Amino acid sequence: DRRNWSSPIVMDPSDTGTLYFGTYRIWRTTNQGDWWTAISGDLTSGGAGTFGTVTTIAVAPTDPDVIYAGTDDSHVWVTQNGGGNWTDVSSALPNRWVTRVAVDASDPQVAYATFSGLRWNENIGHVYRTENAGASWTDITGNLPDAPVNALVVDPQYPDALYVGSDVGCFYT
């Protein structure tokens, strides 16, 4: 499979024997890596040029059936049934590299997506939040400096606290 130079591998927060790996699709193992099964089709636009890989995966801590994935060609996807069906929820999001998806520690419908415009020579940070599993998104970039955003962590004890890593530093809200 096509793979990103930094392909995501994520452990299910509720089951340490279950791991997810991203290529151009999502793979899952339930036996600590002995056997892998594809749980999605191609989540990209088909690998045009140098794009076409999954760059980030997030499993909801309170519901392992809810999984979000982002790609280097601007797609954010969600499944709410463990990979049985995937929905592209990226139509209202920037056409940029998805650097991170993160799920709220207490509500699987709340998620965040960050973006980088570095490949497009755009130094604007993008941070979006959904409260309905991607049906709609709100730009919460706020006063972040003009720089690509690469990481976002939701504080597991205080879900309103977010930590963002960009090309120019770490920020907290």
Side-chain angles (χ1 to χ4, degrees):
D1 281 6
R2 293 184 309 275
R3 291 182 298 274
N4 191 275
W5 66 273
S6 181
S7 296
I9 187 162
V10 175
M11 183 180 296
D12 183 325
S14 61
D15 178 5
T16 58
T18 300
L19 302 170
Y20 297 89
F21 179 68
T23 59
Y24 63 84
R25 53 189 167 173
I26 304 294
W27 293 85
R28 177 175 51 213
T29 179
T30 56
N31 55 17
Q32 300 172 333
D34 287 339
W35 186 256
W36 294 84
T37 303
I39 63 166
S40 77
D42 190 344
L43 298 180
T44 73
S45 296
T50 57
F51 297 107
T53 62
V54 172
T55 53
T56 180
I57 304 167
V59 181
T62 56
D63 185 350
D65 285 338
V66 178
I67 306 163
Y68 293 82
T71 69
D72 60 7
D73 59 359
S74 308
H75 294 282
V76 175
W77 293 83
V78 65
T79 178
Q80 297 190 62
N81 60 3
N85 299 83
W86 289 84
T87 303
D88 186 347
V89 294
S90 51
S91 64
L93 295 171
N95 184 18
R96 297 293 179 257
W97 184 298
V98 183
T99 55
R100 187 76 66 222
V101 289
V103 186
D104 185 271
S106 59
D107 185 349
Q109 299 296 300
V110 177
Y112 301 87
T114 64
F115 298 83
S116 172
L118 185 63
R119 283 190 149 174
W120 293 266
N121 200 26
E122 177 188 89
N123 291 322
I124 299 173
H126 297 287
V127 180
Y128 286 79
R129 173 185 165 106
T130 181
E131 295 181 359
N132 51 20
S136 62
W137 295 88
T138 302
D139 185 343
I140 62 165
T141 305
N143 63 345
L144 285 173
D146 289 339
V149 176
N150 303 306
L152 183 140
V153 175
V154 180
D155 191 311
Q157 292 183 347
Y158 306 101
D160 288 338
L162 305 176
Y163 303 89
V164 171
S166 77
D167 281 2
V168 296
C170 295
F171 303 88
Y172 159 81
T173 185

